[in-house]
Amino acid sequence: MGNKQTELKKRKATTTVPSKELSHTQEIHEDIDAIKKQLKYQDGINNVSKHKIASTSVALMSFFTTFYMIWFPAQVVFDEVHFGKFAGYYLQRTFFFDVHPPLAKLMLAGVGYLSGFDGVYQFANIGESYAANNVPYIALRALPASLNVCGVALIYNILKVSGFSVLTCFTTATLYLLDNAFIGQNRLILLDSILIFYMLTTIYSYIKFRKYRHQPFTLPWWTWLVATGTSMALTLSVKMIGLFVVAAVGLAVVMDLWDLLDKRKYGLTTKTLFQHLGARVAGLILVPALVYLFWFYIHFAILKFSGPGDAYMSTRFQDTLTNNPLRINSLDIMYNQSIKLQHKETRAFLHSHTLTYPARYEDGRYSSQGTQVTGNMQPDINSYWRIKPTGPLDETAAAKRPVKHNDIIQLEHIGTGLDLLTHDVASPWMPTNQEFTTTKLPARYNETLFRVVLDDHKVNQVWSTLMQSVKLIHVRTGVALWCNNRNLPGWGLNHMEINGNKKSGEEKNYWVATDILGLNATDINLKKQEKKVAKQMGFLSKFLEIQIKMITHNNKLTGSHPYQSSPSIWPLMLRGISYWTKDDTKSQIYLTGNVAGWWSALVAIGLFSFVSILDMALKKREIFILSATSRIRLNRSGGFFLLLWATHYFPFYLMGRSLYLHHYLPAMACSYLLLGTVFEYLFIDGVNSPISYQPTDKKYTINHACTTIKSYIAAFVLISMQFMVYLFLSPLTYGTPGMSAEEAMRHKVLKSWDIQYAKHFN
């Protein structure tokens, strides 16, 4: 009796379909299509209905968990101070600078425009009232919240198109929608929800593209290839860490192309291989590049007025903005005029006085004992220098001649009447650099000559105040005038050290002439009735400049923060972030992940990696712990998800900037996909492959995934744990009012969670 039941179960689990002898690739494709049609027929409408019911259910549950109390608090929370403000700048068309690309902020600005936000409110401080400033904050929060719901649907459908069962898709999506970190982060005016949505769209599109790998160059194949490239570009257009999904898909594509090189397996000609390569270059490089450029084109087209971002950009860039104060107050510099020179990097002004360098420095080295030249943060009359011509010009002619690029000049300190000089004497703090001093000796004339090198000389050859940066290169020695960000001792009035930098090509050698003694630029321009029109700058030049600035300033975000954390502690959820507190209502928002899901995902990562490595090792000894079809399935789905997790996690170890828990959320989303893969393998029968081919019998076998009682028990346990932790942490996620100090402390699942403000609640 038992044998009959076992045989009956086997017959229900597999269905064999005869196959004709396959002679070439097209016949294989036709047979697989026929088998898929039969599989769909045998599964019937019932399986499709299950997926529809399950996917609709998780979407509705996600809507509730995400939008619950989205109106609370009606105050600025955490980084809403930045991204709400940036949306306002778009509506005001005022130029700003941010280390992230523009797409997500443009989307928020679009919602703000449609909801009647004028962009005037500046989101200045955490805790400021939205109601008092008439900000449609619920509409602004609804955008990332809606995309979080869409993200849950994408998690479900990614596993569905990967061939997983309804139970696996439902379980994984439910775990994701009950994760407190995704709920807390993705219901605020922040960028992460938009980033994760486009990342998941990229993953879904690439898996769909892979589904058509046996039907190359067909319309669906091209559609999903271009969709993958477009989604990659949209992800990158939200944050620069979108490069991580680009890297993951790029590695997968390289491995795919490497596999196509196998002539015995695929029989592709050289011409066809190049067609495959060309298609991927077009769909995954050219299309994304155009999409990425498009958003910056929109960015520049909207932000046409001068604003707070001006200071980050070059003077040439600033000159393209309407009402730019530098252009309004800029004057061309003529010979014999006296100017102040400010170092761009340290903001110190070139200065001199009657004091001299000491005979010997602290390290025992001798100085020239010449007059000191220093960098002073508080300029005065001793910070003015007269530009003297070196050619045969009389006073009248010199006063009418502007200083130009590559001119050779002298700088005379108007307080002492001495000329600026540098020579082969070591500077006070840097023995490798040259000392600067002043002199009036005719014999040292050649040591007082400097060449004017303008940064934008290809656009404008005339040196002007404020708008153009300049390097002053010593003619005899080739060193550049530079200010060292180090203060001199008391003998130098604690001013900064000025010296000659032998690396004259470095950006840090630039100075700016801030004003001309005795001249008021505004009055002069009004008398001339000049209307200084914004100049033009090529789109690609502006694009390249802002890319460099974004990368540079992102790397400079190294300041300490009480809630920054190391990537090593993220997977274990050892520390969260305090987003908002309100003592009078006894409420706070503390970002923390659902430890049940985070720790389960970490176990899944370890288990998958261990089994994969063990299988590869034992396979060499002809010991097989996985079937061939199971191995292929796990490697293709689980391997891809593991690659996605790794590329979104490990690069953070190489970053020097300040990092926070929310940087791990894209990687965590990928680890949930891997958790679903492990769940399917452990608890769902028939996981090996939906379709397998038996070469000996020349037959295809359709394998139906079978959910058993253990499958439902495992899903129930996982979801129950996730739900209980979700409920336990929800007061911290939603900022539920009325939480006493004792209650707040009880919500510390781990001692390392620093819910600091709980001690203020009475």
Side-chain angles (χ1 to χ4, degrees):
M1 186 70 177
N3 292 336
K4 288 183 179 180
Q5 289 180 344
T6 304
E7 183 65 26
L8 180 61
K9 185 176 179 180
K10 288 183 178 178
R11 289 179 182 178
K12 289 176 68 178
T14 62
T15 304
T16 56
V17 181
S19 171
K20 59 184 178 180
E21 186 72 31
L22 301 177
S23 57
H24 53 77
T25 306
Q26 184 60 37
E27 291 179 351
I28 294 176
H29 299 163
E30 291 173 357
D31 279 352
I32 290 177
D33 288 340
I35 297 304
K36 286 182 177 179
K37 289 179 181 179
Q38 184 169 347
L39 176 60
K40 184 177 181 181
Y41 173 78
Q42 291 175 344
D43 286 345
I45 301 175
N46 186 41
N47 196 47
V48 175
S49 299
K50 287 181 180 178
H51 271 301
K52 286 184 178 179
I53 293 171
S55 60
T56 303
S57 299
V58 296
L60 290 174
M61 288 189 293
S62 177
F63 181 86
F64 174 79
T65 58
T66 305
F67 279 86
Y68 175 68
M69 288 181 61
I70 196 171
W71 56 86
F72 185 84
Q75 297 178 358
V76 180
V77 177
F78 195 57
D79 277 351
E80 288 185 337
V81 295
H82 300 304
F83 303 117
K85 182 188 303 179
F86 294 154
Y89 284 142
Y90 276 121
L91 297 174
Q92 292 287 308
R93 306 195 68 177
T94 303
F95 184 78
F96 68 93
F97 176 80
D98 183 35
V99 296
H100 303 301
L103 175 57
K105 291 162 290 187
L106 282 168
M107 294 172 66
L108 290 169
V111 172
Y113 175 79
L114 293 174
S115 57
F117 181 45
D118 57 12
V120 174
Y121 177 61
Q122 289 292 297
F123 297 80
N125 299 296
I126 295 175
E128 285 187 348
S129 172
Y130 283 132
N133 293 281
N134 298 316
V135 180
Y137 71 100
I138 297 177
L140 292 171
R141 287 177 179 174
L143 172 63
S146 299
L147 292 182
N148 184 59
V149 177
C150 294
V152 171
L154 281 167
I155 290 285
Y156 187 99
N157 284 282
I158 286 170
L159 295 174
K160 177 185 173 183
V161 299
S162 298
F164 294 157
S165 65
V166 174
L167 183 60
T168 297
C169 298
F170 177 83
T171 301
T172 308
T174 304
L175 296 178
Y176 183 85
L177 70 90
L178 291 174
D179 193 307
N180 300 75
F182 289 99
I183 296 170
Q185 186 75 10
N186 296 345
R187 53 192 261 114
L188 300 174
I189 308 171
L190 305 174
L191 309 185
D192 300 84
S193 175
I194 305 172
L195 172 76
I196 293 171
F197 169 75
Y198 285 127
M199 179 197 74
L200 293 174
T201 304
T202 303
I203 297 169
Y204 177 80
S205 299
Y206 181 71
I207 293 174
K208 289 287 288 185
F209 166 68
R210 285 283 299 166
K211 286 288 183 181
Y212 290 95
R213 64 187 179 278
H214 298 303
Q215 303 173 42
F217 310 114
T218 60
L219 180 59
W221 186 89
W222 274 110
T223 299
W224 289 110
L225 174 64
V226 173
T228 302
T230 302
S231 301
M232 280 197 312
L234 294 175
T235 310
L236 183 58
S237 299
V238 174
K239 278 188 174 184
M240 293 299 288
I241 60 174
L243 284 170
F244 297 162
V245 77
V246 174
V249 172
L251 288 171
V253 168
V254 169
M255 289 187 286
D256 182 36
L257 288 172
W258 181 261
D259 193 38
L260 290 177
L261 285 174
D262 192 336
K263 193 169 186 179
R264 289 185 299 176
K265 184 176 180 180
Y266 294 99
L268 300 182
T269 63
T270 303
K271 179 181 178 182
T272 305
L273 281 173
F274 276 104
Q275 288 175 340
H276 274 280
L277 177 62
R280 285 160 175 79
V281 169
L284 301 178
I285 297 179
L286 297 181
V287 169
L290 292 174
V291 172
Y292 187 68
L293 287 168
F294 172 76
W295 297 115
F296 279 94
Y297 181 84
I298 299 298
H299 178 78
F300 295 140
I302 294 175
L303 304 180
K304 61 180 294 185
F305 294 104
S306 177
D310 294 12
Y312 294 91
M313 311 308 295
S314 69
T315 51
R316 183 186 174 195
F317 190 107
Q318 294 178 53
D319 207 17
T320 66
L321 301 171
T322 303
N323 297 332
N324 179 257
L326 296 186
R327 186 189 323 105
I328 294 172
N329 294 296
S330 176
L331 289 172
D332 290 342
I333 300 173
M334 305 294 174
Y335 279 103
N336 287 329
Q337 290 180 334
S338 298
I339 62 172
K340 279 192 297 193
L341 280 171
Q342 185 178 34
H343 187 228
K344 288 192 70 174
E345 184 178 62
T346 62
R347 314 303 295 173
F349 289 84
L350 188 66
H351 180 93
S352 187
H353 39 235
T354 57
L355 299 177
T356 60
Y357 292 109
R360 299 181 70 172
Y361 297 125
E362 286 73 5
D363 59 1
R365 291 182 296 111
Y366 288 94
S367 77
S368 67
Q369 300 185 55
T371 305
Q372 294 177 15
V373 175
T374 62
N376 187 6
M377 298 300 294
Q378 299 177 344
D380 52 28
I381 193 63
N382 280 323
S383 300
Y384 279 100
W385 301 79
R386 186 167 70 94
I387 304 175
K388 299 196 301 185
T390 55
L393 286 177
D394 57 36
E395 291 289 327
T396 303
K400 296 180 180 180
R401 179 180 165 184
V403 183
K404 296 183 178 180
H405 175 68
N406 271 336
D407 279 3
I408 307 299
I409 65 170
Q410 286 181 299
L411 288 174
E412 180 187 66
H413 185 246
I414 66 169
T416 60
L418 304 178
D419 296 329
L420 186 68
L421 171 147
T422 185
H423 50 178
D424 193 17
V425 175
S427 65
W429 285 129
M430 301 182 67
T432 57
N433 287 11
Q434 292 183 187
E435 175 196 86
F436 265 80
T437 184
T438 55
T439 186
K440 205 61 179 178
L441 297 175
R444 308 197 69 178
Y445 173 80
N446 289 334
E447 295 177 281
T448 64
L449 303 182
F450 293 87
R451 183 163 56 90
V452 175
V453 178
L454 302 178
D455 60 343
D456 289 332
H457 59 86
K458 293 182 180 179
V459 178
N460 186 5
Q461 291 275 321
V462 176
W463 188 9
S464 58
T465 60
L466 300 174
M467 290 303 300
Q468 282 188 304
S469 302
V470 63
K471 290 180 185 177
L472 295 175
I473 307 298
H474 191 236
V475 173
R476 170 170 285 188
T477 63
V479 301
L481 176 69
W482 179 59
C483 181
N484 182 17
N485 192 15
R486 186 174 180 184
N487 296 95
L488 297 169
W491 54 256
L493 304 180
N494 299 115
H495 290 180
M496 292 184 182
E497 178 197 36
I498 297 292
N499 64 45
N501 185 4
K502 295 179 179 178
K503 298 178 180 179
S504 60
E506 292 183 336
E507 290 288 321
K508 64 182 182 180
N509 295 322
Y510 277 113
W511 298 72
V512 173
T514 59
D515 65 280
I516 301 174
L517 182 63
L519 297 183
N520 186 302
T522 304
D523 292 343
I524 292 173
N525 290 328
L526 284 175
K527 289 178 181 178
K528 292 182 178 180
Q529 295 183 344
E530 289 184 354
K531 292 184 179 180
K532 297 196 173 184
V533 181
K535 296 182 180 179
Q536 298 298 315
M537 182 178 177
F539 166 72
L540 287 179
S541 297
K542 295 175 74 173
F543 171 78
L544 291 174
E545 179 174 334
I546 203 167
Q547 292 299 300
I548 294 171
K549 298 291 185 182
M550 286 163 54
I551 295 171
T552 302
H553 284 274
N554 187 60
N555 292 333
K556 289 181 179 179
L557 298 177
T558 56
S560 61
H561 190 279
Y563 289 99
Q564 68 185 60
S565 55
S566 167
S568 60
I569 70 172
W570 294 343
L572 289 171
M573 191 57 260
L574 296 181
R575 197 168 187 229
I577 310 173
S578 180
Y579 271 12
W580 172 86
T581 61
K582 191 69 172 177
D583 287 354
D584 56 0
T585 59
K586 298 181 181 179
S587 54
Q588 66 175 306
I589 294 177
Y590 186 81
L591 182 76
T592 179
N594 189 309
V595 291
W598 285 50
W599 292 352
S600 297
L602 188 60
V603 170
I605 292 169
L607 183 60
F608 179 86
S609 302
F610 174 75
V611 171
S612 299
I613 295 171
L614 182 64
D615 177 62
M616 287 188 290
L618 293 179
K619 184 181 175 183
K620 294 182 178 296
R621 303 299 303 168
E622 297 186 353
I623 300 173
F624 303 100
I625 60 174
L626 297 175
S627 66
T629 50
S630 180
R631 182 180 298 108
I632 293 172
R633 184 82 180 282
L634 283 172
N635 288 342
R636 283 181 178 173
S637 295
F640 182 49
F641 298 149
L642 180 65
L643 174 65
L644 285 163
W645 172 80
T647 54
H648 282 84
Y649 175 53
F650 289 114
F652 284 110
Y653 283 95
L654 305 176
M655 295 185 183
R657 59 154 293 171
S658 301
L659 298 171
Y660 305 89
L661 176 66
H662 61 76
H663 287 119
Y664 185 65
L665 293 184
M668 187 61 213
C670 298
S671 69
Y672 272 120
L673 294 172
L674 185 57
L675 176 59
T677 304
V678 173
F679 178 86
E680 180 91 354
Y681 175 73
L682 291 177
F683 301 109
I684 307 295
D685 294 335
V687 69
N688 292 346
S689 178
I691 304 174
S692 59
Y693 179 65
Q694 308 298 330
T696 54
D697 300 329
K698 298 181 180 179
K699 295 178 180 178
Y700 284 103
T701 299
I702 301 174
N703 302 315
H704 303 275
C706 297
T707 52
T708 62
I709 188 64
K710 73 172 184 179
S711 308
Y712 290 105
I713 291 174
F716 177 78
V717 170
L718 282 174
I719 292 174
S720 297
M721 291 192 305
Q722 191 85 339
F723 182 69
M724 287 187 291
V725 176
Y726 158 75
L727 286 180
F728 183 72
L729 296 176
S730 59
L732 298 177
T733 303
Y734 299 111
T736 306
M739 187 167 53
S740 66
E742 293 75 16
E743 289 174 328
M745 296 305 293
R746 280 200 298 269
H747 283 82
K748 290 182 64 172
V749 176
L750 300 175
K751 291 183 179 180
S752 56
W753 289 10
D754 42 5
I755 308 178
Q756 296 180 356
Y757 296 97
K759 62 186 178 183
H760 296 304
F761 300 161
N762 296 316

